[in-house]
Amino acid sequence: MTLPHRSPPALSSPSPASLFSPLPGVPSPGASSGEGGARGRRCPDRPHITELLLSAFAGHRNTGLPLGPLTLLAGASGSGKTSALRAYEALARLGGGAELGEAFPAPDACVPERARADAQGRRGFRIGCTADGPEGPVRLEVAVQAEPTLRIAGERLTADGTVLLESALRDPRGRTVQAAWHTAGTAPVTRGPLPDDRLGTALLPLRVAGRTPGERRVLAAAEQMVVALRSVFACDPRPDGMRDAVPTGTGRLLGDCGNVADVLWRTHTECAIRYGLLVSAVRAGCAGPVTGLLAEPCGDGLVRALLDRGDGTRTALGRLGEGELRYVALALVLLTGPGVLEVDASGEVPAALQTLTVLADGLDRGMDPLQRAELLRLAARMCERGHIRLVGAVSDASWAAGVDGVTVVHLNRD
């Protein structure tokens, strides 16, 4: 795609109309793309993200990425797969209440390369998403000023054609945005300031009393969006870190999977059924016989992971190839859950109403055809159950043809 030689419209004017004018190629709320609200259709019980909106972010412009239970983002190097996953992860952090600087540690890299600064020297980016659930499709759009100061310049939450929350930066010298949320009482909206370093949608339960049906609708939509965004596990296994013995710790798997031995030390006896599924998956993707996957202490408070070969031989995980190590780590991720993975789950919502979303960069990196096919089949089985979703980046998705339940989104490098 070609980036226009102009700055993002979200930062050229503080008015809500200019911040969130209709985007070419991105359906507006209430359009025939399925954003017609909850009426006339069966709404899912578990809130989940169905679309990632990259209106002006890094190399993306006016881009909408549909997301199914199992989605592969396919494209050559430089097509924007990693930046799309980075945007999703940042939204998840904002939904969990993180400050803007935590969600975007390198905001300059998020600004479209050819975006010019306005008269005040401001540049920024725009992202968003659509969350489906009991309230029907709800859309969130966020405009972020990256230069000269990182801050939220505007935000909009909509459902079924109704604007539920809208905010805009009115005073560049202040540290707040002016917000208005749907009330539908004696006054149609309520206005008030919100901090410019956090997502307003995540703060609404602290500001909206819920006295009117309109306010309760706002709270329900905001909760659905926040629950859909949270419980995200960004994962990119690093084989070098998996080869060494590691100290025992929390037993919660990190994004680079370097502490896989600690996780196995904690969990291999917790659930016999899940452990059996993991061993079966490892057996399908690793060379030689496999009857077990375990960890053992090796002195000084360290543990190492091993494959049990069934004849008295145990192979240290460090002896496996890179493709095997990545395969083992990703199989472990798919067969565990928020209690094992280092994720920010919503403690206020029952686990039965939450969905874990795994973001896997380089999903098939280093794997041979058998390993990636087995991993995809495992992912399809797990995602079909509804409690887990996967968005993986791959250079080519032709090998995924014929696997039911896979959504392939092709990204082109311009």
Side-chain angles (χ1 to χ4, degrees):
M1 63 189 71
T2 301
L3 298 177
H5 291 268
R6 57 186 174 87
S7 59
L11 302 179
S12 60
S13 169
S15 69
S18 64
L19 280 168
F20 300 109
S21 55
L23 301 173
V26 180
S28 60
S32 59
S33 63
E35 298 221 16
R39 296 189 300 270
R41 72 182 189 95
R42 183 179 180 276
C43 297
D45 295 329
R46 298 172 182 262
H48 57 273
I49 302 300
T50 59
E51 183 182 27
L52 182 63
L53 305 173
L54 304 173
S55 306
F57 185 83
H60 299 277
R61 191 75 172 187
N62 298 332
T63 300
L65 304 179
L67 303 176
L70 171 52
T71 304
L72 298 182
L73 304 181
S77 177
S79 60
K81 305 185 297 294
T82 298
S83 62
L85 295 179
R86 190 168 70 242
Y88 194 139
E89 183 182 5
L91 283 170
R93 291 185 178 184
L94 291 176
E99 293 185 358
L100 206 58
E102 180 183 344
F104 299 102
D108 292 353
C110 303
V111 180
E113 186 176 10
R114 300 177 184 176
R116 295 202 302 258
D118 64 8
Q120 286 75 43
R122 298 178 298 176
R123 297 199 313 156
F125 51 92
R126 296 170 65 187
I127 60 175
C129 61
T130 300
D132 202 359
E135 299 303 311
V138 178
R139 172 170 292 195
L140 171 68
E141 298 169 272
V142 185
V144 178
Q145 174 185 298
E147 302 170 358
T149 304
L150 181 64
R151 62 195 310 184
I152 289 179
E155 179 179 347
R156 189 163 71 176
L157 186 72
T158 56
D160 200 16
T162 300
V163 177
L164 303 178
L165 168 69
E166 192 164 42
S167 70
L169 178 62
R170 301 293 186 185
D171 181 6
R173 296 167 298 180
R175 296 302 307 179
T176 62
V177 293
Q178 292 300 311
W181 51 87
H182 184 63
T183 305
T186 55
V189 299
T190 300
R191 303 182 187 278
L194 290 176
D196 68 351
D197 63 346
R198 295 181 186 271
L199 189 69
T201 296
L203 298 175
L204 283 178
L206 303 176
R207 301 296 301 271
V208 180
R211 289 187 293 264
T212 69
E215 287 186 338
R216 289 191 287 273
R217 184 184 182 192
V218 171
L219 288 172
E223 180 184 75
Q224 175 171 297
M225 178 60 68
V226 169
V227 172
L229 279 174
R230 294 177 68 173
S231 295
V232 163
F233 183 66
C235 177
D236 187 4
R238 301 294 180 180
D240 287 346
M242 297 170 60
R243 298 184 188 279
D244 300 328
V246 298
T248 55
T250 63
R252 291 170 64 87
L253 190 66
L254 303 177
D256 63 2
C257 300
N259 65 331
V260 65
D262 180 38
V263 174
L264 292 171
W265 175 253
R266 170 198 159 190
T267 63
H268 80 279
T269 59
E270 288 185 357
C271 178
I273 295 177
R274 187 164 292 182
Y275 176 72
L277 292 173
L278 177 60
V279 172
S280 296
V282 172
R283 183 185 302 120
C286 291
V290 176
T291 61
L293 177 63
L294 62 154
E296 67 174 13
C298 54
D300 297 326
L302 302 177
V303 292
R304 62 174 182 169
L306 303 155
L307 292 184
D308 189 342
R309 298 299 188 178
D311 58 357
T313 302
R314 292 182 172 183
T315 302
L317 218 63
R319 298 177 67 92
L320 302 185
E322 289 199 3
E324 288 180 306
L325 287 170
R326 286 183 58 83
Y327 175 88
V328 169
L330 289 167
L332 177 62
V333 169
L334 291 170
L335 287 166
T336 55
V340 176
L341 307 178
E342 190 65 48
V343 300
D344 177 28
S346 178
E348 303 82 8
V349 180
L353 298 180
Q354 297 186 50
T355 300
L356 169 69
T357 300
V358 176
L359 307 179
D361 200 9
L363 179 67
D364 61 342
R365 187 186 309 134
M367 295 185 197
D368 62 31
L370 173 63
Q371 290 165 342
R372 67 188 185 189
E374 289 291 342
L375 184 66
L376 189 66
R377 280 193 283 269
L378 174 62
R381 291 198 303 272
M382 299 306 296
C383 293
E384 185 180 17
R385 300 168 59 188
H387 74 286
I388 189 169
R389 295 169 73 87
L390 172 66
V391 183
V394 298
S395 58
D396 172 67
S398 59
W399 52 273
V403 179
D404 292 337
V406 180
T407 299
V408 178
V409 179
H410 295 280
L411 300 179
N412 298 319
R413 181 177 58 190
D414 294 333

